[in-house]
Amino acid sequence: MRPISRPKAMKTTENNKKRIALFASGSGSNVFNIINYFEGSEIVEVTIVLSNKKNAGALVHAEKANIKALPFNRHDFFESNNVLRLLKSEQIDYIILAGFLWKIPENLISNFENKILNIHPSLLPKYGGKGMFGRHVHESVLANKEKETGITIHLVNEKYDDGKIIKQATCSIDESETLLSLQEKISKLEKENFPITIEQFITKK
Ligand code: GRF
């Protein structure tokens, strides 16, 4: 796990900011949005961004914002405590999954009980579970001629897409809806709702 960006010049352990770790596997548009939202926040600090993909856009966004960004592999995540140790050493309070595709192992669930949030691009429990990610979700929603869909922000437990729901937001599906137009609607809902829901969850509002 070699750093691919420099850590922030100063850590903020001297104040009461909650330190969050973002996990992402993909392009990282949510990571980008969350970083921007909390820039200058006195409540939340995005302390580190971690990815199971070396070339993830999410790491690039973090690097540009001068936030520590690290890739990790299966051994780090599933077969050792490397990721857990890193989170502990960074004094992470909450883990945010922003388009992260690996299942969260037991060592993280038990050490961050009720402190891991995920975003899913459907109205869970509909269109959740293994294999339901990215375009597969929206293709299934369209194939079933649903009249509405949306996003779900939920706590993470040992099963895929199964923890307590914290927030849902909906959008309608038009007759002429395409995969692309639906992806855009969902992306907009995610950007509008994810950072503020993280903030409200952390501040218990
Ligand atoms: C989002 O649709 C999120 O709901 C899902 O993965 C996608 C991540 O997109 N879990 P991005 O990498 O943040 O653009």
Side-chain angles (χ1 to χ4, degrees):
M1 296 180 69
R2 287 203 327 274
I4 62 167
S5 71
R6 273 182 297 125
K8 280 186 170 175
M10 266 187 12
K11 279 195 186 168
T12 52
T13 42
E14 69 277 9
N15 62 34
N16 288 326
K17 279 190 197 181
K18 295 296 181 194
R19 296 164 68 82
I20 67 174
L22 306 182
F23 282 63
S25 304
S27 70
S29 68
N30 279 283
V31 164
F32 179 71
N33 186 50
I34 293 166
I35 288 173
N36 285 342
Y37 183 87
F38 289 117
E39 175 77 45
S41 166
E42 294 185 351
I43 300 165
V44 171
E45 177 193 277
V46 179
T47 303
I48 192 165
V49 177
L50 297 169
S51 182
N52 59 317
K53 294 258 161 60
K54 269 193 214 118
N55 302 323
L59 296 177
V60 177
H61 291 310
E63 198 177 17
K64 282 190 183 149
N66 209 20
I67 292 169
K68 189 183 264 192
L70 285 173
F72 58 82
N73 60 29
R74 290 194 157 268
H75 175 76
D76 295 323
F77 199 59
F78 293 114
E79 295 154 16
S80 70
N81 283 324
N82 289 351
V83 169
L84 177 61
R85 260 199 301 274
L86 175 66
L87 296 172
K88 294 279 181 196
S89 75
E90 294 290 342
Q91 298 172 273
I92 296 303
D93 299 300
Y94 293 88
I95 295 173
I96 309 298
L97 309 181
F100 182 65
L101 294 180
W102 283 359
K103 196 158 176 239
I104 302 302
E106 206 282 322
N107 65 342
L108 295 190
I109 304 269
S110 56
N111 277 274
F112 288 88
E113 202 181 348
N114 294 327
K115 293 199 167 154
I116 310 178
L117 284 182
N118 180 44
I119 189 161
H120 185 81
S122 75
L123 296 172
L124 290 175
K126 283 179 144 183
Y127 306 101
K130 200 164 175 15
M132 274 295 166
F133 60 90
R135 59 184 294 159
H136 304 299
V137 176
H138 307 312
E139 281 167 353
S140 304
V141 165
L142 290 172
N144 287 341
K145 304 207 177 314
E146 296 281 0
K147 294 276 178 271
E148 71 165 16
T149 185
I151 60 158
T152 303
I153 297 163
H154 64 95
L155 283 167
V156 173
N157 63 17
E158 64 289 344
K159 296 187 205 146
Y160 272 116
D161 303 329
D162 183 68
K164 182 181 168 202
I165 291 173
I166 303 298
K167 167 95 184 176
Q168 290 190 307
T170 62
C171 60
S172 60
I173 299 176
D174 304 327
E175 297 274 309
S176 60
E177 204 75 56
T178 63
L179 176 61
L180 189 63
S181 66
L182 188 53
Q183 282 171 327
E184 280 168 6
K185 280 184 181 173
I186 293 292
S187 174
K188 186 162 175 280
L189 279 184
E190 292 184 340
K191 305 309 173 311
E192 286 166 355
N193 288 280
F194 202 13
I196 194 162
T197 303
I198 295 167
E199 188 172 47
Q200 287 167 347
F201 180 74
I202 287 176
T203 56
K204 316 273 183 263
K205 283 188 182 145

